[in-house]
Structure formats: structure tokens, C-alpha cells
Amino acid sequence: MHTITAPTPADTQGDFLLQPPDPADRVPCRIDPVDLRRLDLLALLTAAGIAPSAGDRAAIDRLSELPGSVHVALRRWLEQAYGFCR
């Protein structure tokens, strides 16, 4: 079996590629579903051409805290009303 080693700067005389990271060394990162719903809602509003006003942040935050089923319905309504699909 052949072992691959990373080239040294002397071997390449310039830039060289690094070995890909070991998946076992990755730090687990979980995004809170509320944050995902907030990002999705902001993206959906942006795609619909609706720019949230400065005072809308609190409303978007509250909508994001609602259960996922409510968020799915809200997304469906906006997609149907503005005639686009994601």
C-alpha cells in the first residue's frame, strides 16, 4: 500500500496543497432550528422582493420561534402568493 505524504515547500518550490482534514477531527456544530427558520424566512422574504424594515426584526424573531409546522405553512403561503418555488 502506498502512503501519500504532503509535499514540503522544498519539493514544490512554491505553493502546495494541504491534505484534506480528517472528518474525525471536526468540531461538531449544530445550528438551532430557530436560527435555521430565521435564516430561511429572511431568505424567503428576500427572494420574494420583500425587504424587512428595521422594526421587522422582532417579528421575524418571534415567527422563527413558532413550531416548524407553522413555518412550513408560512413558507408555502409566501411561495404561492409571490409565484416562485425554491
Side-chain angles (χ1 to χ4, degrees), residues 33-54:
V34 171
D35 292 331
L36 288 175
R37 288 192 292 266
R38 180 176 23 260
L39 291 171
D40 189 49
L41 183 56
L42 287 169
L44 187 64
L45 290 170
T46 301
I50 303 169
S53 299

Side-chain angles (χ1 to χ4, degrees), residues 22-30:
D22 181 3
D25 293 337
R26 291 184 180 164
V27 177
C29 179
R30 300 207 81 146

Side-chain angles (χ1 to χ4, degrees), residues 4-82:
I4 299 174
T5 59
T8 64
D11 295 336
T12 60
Q13 296 186 11
D15 291 338
F16 59 94
L17 297 175
L18 298 175
Q19 292 293 325
D22 181 3
D25 293 337
R26 291 184 180 164
V27 177
C29 179
R30 300 207 81 146
I31 298 176
D32 189 326
V34 171
D35 292 331
L36 288 175
R37 288 192 292 266
R38 180 176 23 260
L39 291 171
D40 189 49
L41 183 56
L42 287 169
L44 187 64
L45 290 170
T46 301
I50 303 169
S53 299
D56 293 346
R57 177 63 190 230
I60 290 170
D61 288 346
R62 292 300 305 240
L63 287 169
S64 300
E65 293 171 0
L66 295 173
S69 60
V70 174
H71 187 72
V72 168
L74 179 61
R75 182 177 16 173
R76 187 179 64 248
W77 296 336
L78 285 170
E79 288 173 350
Q80 289 174 357
Y82 288 94

